[in-house]
Amino acid sequence: VGAAAKVAARGGRRKGSTATASSAKATSKTTRQPSKANAPDKTDIYNGITHWLVKSEPSYSMDDLQKEKGQTCFWDGVRNFECRNTMRDRMKKGHTILFYRSVVEPAAVGVCEVVKEGYPDFTAWDPKSEHPDSSSTKENPKWFMVDFKLKGWLNEEVSKFNSCLPARNVCSL
């Protein structure tokens, strides 16, 4: 939900504003109490996350991304429901992505930025693609992808991540 929609949902007030009591007898301003609709979802572990990790397969590397037109690619072929939901619902334009090279010398090697939010993965509809899914259609897409742009290479590869991070925060996309 965009900022304008959030403001509209709160009756047009900006975050942190005060509401005037509606009774003619009340002359003091009262601080607006957050409603349940505006309260953060404490069960959503992704609430507020703006940095993501995408795991590449050996068939596509940062070198390949660097050669793409505008150093931008669409991240297709994700066939995991949790990761699909993350790309469709949570990855937003401007969010940061760590590009993780898997299999051969696994490590985070670069930084990218989401430039197009989740949209249907059209490769699922192509029976000749590397990852077709006949149950996904244009009318009822099952899989989604995002576009991201290379921002730069890390000065030093990061090969080990803090093991205390919840595994669900690092979704293999």
Side-chain angles (χ1 to χ4, degrees):
V1 176
K6 287 180 183 175
V7 169
R10 291 193 302 258
R13 293 188 181 96
R14 291 182 180 268
K15 182 177 179 181
S17 69
T18 56
T20 304
S22 60
S23 167
K25 295 178 184 176
T27 57
S28 66
K29 292 185 176 182
T30 58
T31 304
R32 180 182 171 96
Q33 296 297 317
S35 70
K36 288 184 180 180
N38 294 330
D41 180 0
K42 293 180 182 177
T43 62
D44 183 1
I45 65 166
Y46 299 103
N47 189 28
I49 291 177
T50 61
H51 295 72
W52 305 95
L53 179 75
V54 296
K55 179 181 77 78
S56 70
E57 296 300 325
S59 61
Y60 193 83
S61 68
M62 278 279 289
D63 291 320
D64 296 319
L65 175 57
Q66 192 168 21
K67 294 174 189 172
E68 297 276 2
K69 182 179 178 182
Q71 296 182 334
T72 302
C73 72
F74 51 85
W75 205 245
D76 64 328
V78 175
R79 300 296 181 260
N80 170 291
F81 288 107
E82 185 172 354
C83 294
R84 183 246 357 230
N85 295 346
T86 296
M87 291 196 315
R88 182 189 65 199
D89 304 332
R90 297 180 179 102
M91 294 178 90
K92 302 297 180 191
K93 191 173 181 180
H95 281 187
T96 302
I97 294 174
L98 282 175
F99 190 100
Y100 185 79
R101 176 186 64 220
S102 65
V103 184
V104 180
E105 298 179 16
V109 294
V111 177
C112 301
E113 179 180 348
V114 175
V115 294
K116 185 174 181 181
E117 294 180 16
Y119 61 99
D121 182 346
F122 54 81
T123 65
W125 312 325
D126 181 1
K128 295 178 184 174
S129 79
E130 293 179 28
H131 25 72
D133 183 346
S134 60
S135 68
S136 182
T137 64
K138 291 179 184 179
E139 297 76 27
N140 189 20
K142 185 175 181 179
W143 304 108
F144 287 75
M145 58 185 168
V146 296
D147 290 1
F148 57 83
K149 178 181 179 73
L150 175 65
K151 298 302 282 182
W153 292 78
L154 294 176
N155 291 333
E156 187 174 321
E157 295 180 358
V158 180
S159 58
K160 294 184 181 180
F161 288 91
N162 186 341
S163 61
C164 68
L165 284 174
R168 292 184 59 174
N169 285 352
V170 182
C171 186
S172 300
L173 297 178

